[in-house]
Amino acid sequence: MYDTIKYKGLRKQLIELLKKKGIKDTKVLEVMKSVPRHLFMDPGLINFAYEDNAYPIAADQTISQPYTVAYQTELLQLNKYDKVLEIGTGSGYQTAILLGLTSHVYTVERQNLLFKKTQRLFENLNLRPKKHLFGDGYLGYKKAAPYDRIIVTAASPLIPEVLLNQLKIGGKLVVPLGEKEQFMMRFTRKGINLFDKEKFGRFRFVPLLQNKN
Ligand code: SAH
């Protein structure tokens, strides 16, 4: 578990690329510069860690593309003490980025293999989400609700109503919505039954799955 000058240099180049692609939030860029993405990759793919691409991880899932991670995190507009729920822990990379911005992170993964692998990684890297849970993220995590922010890192075919209802008033949900292709959406809770809806760019995510397999 180490970082090197070479990886630091590659990260710097990646940050420049993210800026060119339109990411502006300096806090998001700073955190992405500091988190070693190679530690979250499959060992065989480590040399590609600072390419702006998604790569396979365990259980047929993927580590999100850095641009996508930056884009979603920027849309979250996370404040320092915000309580945030992440659906789809996957490799834990996006979780690590969230933990660089607030210490109140809850994250849920439904693939047991991936859950266990990432659990060990969090321990080794001393990353401490408030809770790393194994379960169905469609249900959110009611025990710690309501949240200031919710981020979904897999494609949701439908508006996830359960998650909307776990937002605080003023809270925001960022979710890729659609089946084959998704539009990034941001919902802001304006009242008990009142949500603002904004539509952003087009993406491709692995699907959010409701029941096991
Ligand atoms: N943020 C992750 C993205 C992983 S891909 C990363 O950068 O590594 C999406 C993840 O969502 C996968 O790990 C997948 O297993 C998980 N997932 C899919 N459906 C889910 C559900 N219903 N609840 C929780 N996690 C889910």
Side-chain angles (χ1 to χ4, degrees), residues 180-197:
K180 257 193 163 167
E181 239 189 15
Q182 302 84 42
F183 279 100
M184 195 65 74
M185 304 293 297
R186 181 169 63 191
F187 295 88
T188 304
R189 190 170 202 173
K190 296 283 185 186
I192 296 288
N193 285 315
L194 188 64
F195 294 88
D196 223 35
K197 183 165 131 186

Side-chain angles (χ1 to χ4, degrees), residues 40 57-59 61-65 69 72 86-95 108-111 114 135-139 153-155 205-211:
F40 297 84
I57 48 175
Q61 303 303 321
T62 55
I63 177 168
S64 298
Q65 183 182 342
V69 171
Q72 285 199 284
E86 177 192 29
I87 309 301
T89 318
S91 67
Y93 176 65
Q94 170 78 68
T95 320
V108 188
E109 172 57 53
R110 70 178 278 287
Q111 295 280 356
L114 208 45
D136 184 0
Y138 252 111
L139 308 173
T153 72
F205 282 75
V206 294
L208 186 66
L209 299 173
Q210 215 152 358
N211 299 307

Side-chain angles (χ1 to χ4, degrees), residues 118-136:
T118 302
Q119 180 86 334
R120 279 197 297 276
L121 184 68
F122 284 161
E123 277 162 24
N124 289 338
L125 299 179
N126 204 18
L127 283 169
R128 295 170 188 264
K130 290 279 176 212
K131 283 250 175 343
H132 177 212
L133 301 148
F134 169 59
D136 184 0

Side-chain angles (χ1 to χ4, degrees), residues 75-79 82-83 146-150 163-174 186-196 198:
L75 284 184
L76 270 185
Q77 299 176 323
L78 206 55
N79 299 304
D82 281 352
K83 194 200 288 182
Y147 300 93
D148 298 287
R149 302 288 186 262
I150 302 178
L163 299 181
L164 286 176
N165 283 315
Q166 291 184 13
L167 282 176
K168 286 183 190 171
I169 307 288
K172 293 177 197 294
L173 163 70
V174 173
R186 181 169 63 191
F187 295 88
T188 304
R189 190 170 202 173
K190 296 283 185 186
I192 296 288
N193 285 315
L194 188 64
F195 294 88
D196 223 35
E198 296 165 280

